[in-house]
Amino acid sequence: MFPRSAAPRGRSAYRDGLYPPPPVPICYDYNHQRLAAVNSFYVSGRERLPTYEWKPYPALLPVPPRVPAPYTPTIPNGRKRQNDEYSPHVVKRQRLQSPSHPLVGSPSPRATPPRRPDQAVPGSSRSTFGFDSCYPSPRAHIHPQGKAVPESSNSLQAYAKDKLSDQMLELFEACQQQTSDLARKETCRTRLQKDIQSIYAVARLYLTGSSMNGLGCRSSDADLCLVLKGNNRPDPINVLTVLQRLFKSLSYVERTQLIRAKVPILRFREKGSDLEFDLNINNTVGIRNTFLLRSYAYADLRIRPMILVVKKWARHNQINDASKGTLSSYTLVLMVLHYLQTLKEPVLPSLQRDYPECFYALLDIDMVPEGPKHVPPYISTNQSCLGELLLGFLKYYATDFRWDKQVISVREAKALPKNNSKEWRNKYICVEEPFEKNNVARAVHEKIKFDAIKATFAESCRILQDRKDLNSILPVRAIINKESSRR
């Protein structure tokens, strides 16, 4: 929390004090009738907030240079205080609609301001690339880390000029989730929400995880979070039991299964297809993480190909299954982001550190979609190709990272010293969850599994360094053929 005597770094105080007065209480309502919108809301008694539309990312080969739009902030100034205490994934950009009835129990979040265009991030520059063009910093305000960023970096081809990089790009292009895949998931989500609201009138259903954060494949299953608000916190098992009975009566759902895990889920399939869904109740940190990861995914062109290849590599080498004591996909993503943040010339910043008001951990869940659209994409002066970054990633965790002494922190964009707290003590791998600050790698609790993970990094690093051929560490063509069949 900032002291009242000083304004937060890089920001000026408000005219009547550091923080604005509490806003007039506002009510939100959702209307999920249109395919293009996951969450829509209207602020009663106020000017309507700017639209928040999800736009599918265009094909990356080739990508024409985009012209930055003028910086036009449209939300009144105001911000939440930064808070060090965190509490407990939907990434479609949102469209605002008219209300029909208010949600119960919503706190009144303050509107969050975009960073002024003259506020530079130390050691970085920003542009419109990869995000909606309504919140960019104009090029006149770009402050590169030391050398000019070539215009050719507007295309992924600029980072794929060697065999290994080209193979990574080919794998990404063939395997990335298509707009049609997402539309299919969204259609099912829309139908489900309508049917669920026949029982829980104020329920809101969010599509989360890799399907929505930009990091999904054609074969990615879909995660759903059902948000139920009110004075009494619902018991997830009870709610999922009720939903299981409901789903058995629906013509488009089959194979419902209640899984009583630490976070209970209802697993089911779209009838007549292989599309599987996992639905949880009020696991809202997943919604926050979806927006955060999407912001990172589109901060630099290389992020999505890099993460997709790493996940395919880990899956092929059997170190990507938390249920079997290895690394979850979420953990792998954080490991990739951390590596890219800690390079001598970083490919990524810490978005939470540079834009705390956009990723405020206690922001009401209804307002979470509004945060990331005020974060212009990052432009790094690091122009390493995809192959160099993949090799560097393997080498970092094979030889440089101190597993016994360090905690991976994307929130801080650095490795933190491991202390003796319960969260990190006697843990083989420590990866900090960006909002709750717990250990998302706690599934790795056996030394034999930890040793296998380290050995896989070391062996793949050695082989790839020697051969510079992606086929030497995973079967590229077989993976492409498998993904291509999901059409």
Side-chain angles (χ1 to χ4, degrees):
M1 186 173 292
F2 299 115
R4 285 196 168 271
S5 58
R9 175 168 59 96
R11 296 167 178 80
S12 58
Y14 289 90
R15 183 164 41 188
D16 298 322
L18 180 57
Y19 299 105
V24 177
I26 52 180
C27 296
Y28 297 93
D29 186 46
Y30 285 71
N31 177 11
H32 295 263
Q33 303 305 313
R34 302 178 64 176
L35 176 63
V38 171
N39 306 312
S40 306
F41 55 87
Y42 176 80
V43 184
S44 177
R46 287 190 172 194
E47 179 181 336
R48 288 183 62 164
L49 294 170
T51 57
Y52 199 81
E53 299 181 18
W54 173 81
K55 297 179 182 177
Y57 198 69
L60 293 176
L61 288 177
V63 177
R66 296 179 61 182
V67 180
Y71 181 83
T72 54
T74 53
I75 289 185
N77 282 339
R79 74 184 301 274
K80 280 206 175 253
R81 294 192 198 186
Q82 189 178 20
N83 191 316
D84 288 334
E85 291 301 315
Y86 289 87
S87 67
H89 276 34
V90 81
V91 172
K92 273 199 175 180
R93 301 226 162 204
Q94 315 299 327
R95 181 172 295 157
L96 296 156
Q97 305 285 357
S98 299
S100 57
H101 52 77
L103 279 178
V104 218
S106 298
S108 302
R110 296 187 179 111
T112 55
R115 185 186 295 267
R116 297 198 316 270
D118 59 338
Q119 289 177 318
V121 178
S124 71
S125 58
R126 307 244 171 199
S127 86
T128 62
F129 193 73
F131 267 65
D132 291 354
S133 58
C134 43
Y135 295 97
S137 296
R139 288 206 177 265
H141 296 285
I142 287 179
H143 301 285
Q145 295 175 13
K147 57 184 180 183
V149 178
E151 287 300 321
S152 62
S153 65
N154 281 345
S155 168
L156 251 177
Q157 288 288 6
Y159 305 113
K161 293 182 177 178
D162 58 84
K163 178 182 177 180
L164 175 57
S165 301
D166 195 58
Q167 290 172 320
M168 292 176 66
L169 185 53
E170 181 189 11
L171 184 63
F172 170 68
E173 285 293 322
C175 297
Q176 65 173 318
Q177 179 177 259
Q178 304 295 308
T179 305
S180 57
D181 302 324
L182 183 54
R184 180 179 163 200
K185 295 172 183 178
E186 169 60 11
T187 299
C188 191
R189 183 210 65 80
T190 304
R191 296 180 71 184
L192 282 169
Q193 177 169 265
K194 184 177 179 181
D195 286 320
I196 291 171
Q197 286 178 334
S198 67
I199 299 175
Y200 300 103
V202 297
R204 298 297 177 262
L205 191 61
Y206 295 79
L207 190 56
T208 64
S210 63
S211 295
M212 295 301 289
N213 62 24
L215 302 173
C217 302
R218 300 221 65 179
S219 58
S220 296
D221 294 328
D223 295 313
L224 295 166
C225 177
L226 185 68
V227 177
L228 297 172
K229 292 191 174 184
N231 295 328
N232 298 320
R233 192 168 183 85
D235 177 63
I237 294 293
N238 290 343
V239 175
L240 292 175
T241 301
V242 171
L243 293 182
Q244 186 176 27
R245 288 197 296 267
L246 170 67
F247 285 12
K248 287 180 179 179
S249 70
L250 302 179
S251 61
Y252 56 95
V253 169
E254 63 182 4
R255 302 188 191 181
T256 60
Q257 178 187 6
L258 178 57
I259 300 175
R260 299 170 182 266
K262 182 178 180 182
V263 176
I265 61 172
L266 187 62
R267 180 166 292 167
F268 57 94
R269 285 194 176 192
E270 180 186 48
K271 194 164 188 176
S273 80
D274 55 0
L275 178 55
E276 191 169 79
F277 290 84
D278 286 344
L279 187 153
N280 68 70
I281 307 298
N282 284 347
N283 186 31
T284 54
V285 69
I287 299 173
R288 300 181 194 281
N289 286 333
T290 300
F291 275 101
L292 178 64
L293 293 190
R294 181 177 172 87
S295 300
Y296 279 116
Y298 289 101
D300 186 281
L301 278 178
R302 294 164 287 184
I303 307 305
R304 295 171 67 224
M306 177 81 173
I307 288 175
L308 185 143
V309 170
V310 167
K311 289 202 290 188
K312 292 296 184 187
W313 162 79
R315 176 66 65 173
H316 173 68
N317 286 279
Q318 300 181 343
I319 60 168
N320 178 207
D321 190 342
S323 69
K324 296 180 179 177
T326 57
L327 303 166
S328 68
S329 293
Y330 182 41
T331 300
L332 282 165
V333 170
L334 294 178
M335 290 172 68
V336 174
L337 297 179
H338 165 77
Y339 160 70
L340 296 174
Q341 289 173 326
T342 55
L343 291 166
K344 185 175 180 181
E345 283 186 290
V347 174
L348 289 172
S350 164
L351 294 179
Q352 286 171 285
R353 182 190 61 203
D354 293 345
Y355 292 88
E357 68 275 27
C358 297
F359 301 101
Y360 180 62
L362 298 180
L363 188 66
D364 185 84
I365 203 67
D366 299 339
M367 294 298 292
V368 168
E370 288 299 304
K373 69 178 183 179
H374 302 304
V375 181
Y378 183 79
I379 292 182
S380 171
T381 57
N382 184 318
Q383 293 298 298
S384 299
C385 64
L386 288 167
E388 291 171 335
L389 293 177
L390 179 61
L391 269 167
F393 168 78
L394 295 173
K395 180 179 181 296
Y396 177 73
Y397 289 109
T399 62
D400 300 341
F401 184 76
R402 298 293 303 273
W403 301 98
D404 58 332
K405 296 184 181 299
Q406 294 179 319
V407 175
I408 292 167
S409 176
V410 170
R411 178 179 57 87
E412 292 286 346
K414 63 183 179 182
L416 303 175
K418 187 191 291 189
N419 57 35
N420 203 36
S421 68
K422 180 182 177 182
E423 213 47 77
W424 315 121
R425 186 173 63 247
N426 301 323
K427 302 297 190 297
Y428 293 109
I429 300 179
C430 297
V431 182
E432 180 193 63
E433 204 288 320
F435 291 100
E436 294 187 321
K437 301 183 184 178
N438 55 16
N439 185 13
V440 299
R442 57 187 175 273
V444 185
H445 60 272
E446 298 177 21
K447 188 174 188 305
I448 190 170
K449 298 290 179 67
F450 173 56
D451 290 340
I453 291 169
K454 288 197 302 179
T456 302
F457 273 96
E459 181 68 3
S460 294
C461 179
R462 182 189 64 78
I463 293 172
L464 199 60
Q465 181 69 50
D466 182 49
R467 302 185 191 177
K468 305 293 195 302
D469 183 345
L470 194 58
N471 288 291
S472 64
I473 60 170
L474 75 159
V476 175
R477 186 51 50 192
I479 293 172
I480 289 176
N481 290 340
K482 181 179 179 182
E483 291 283 351
S484 298
S485 67
R486 301 276 299 215
R487 296 188 187 276

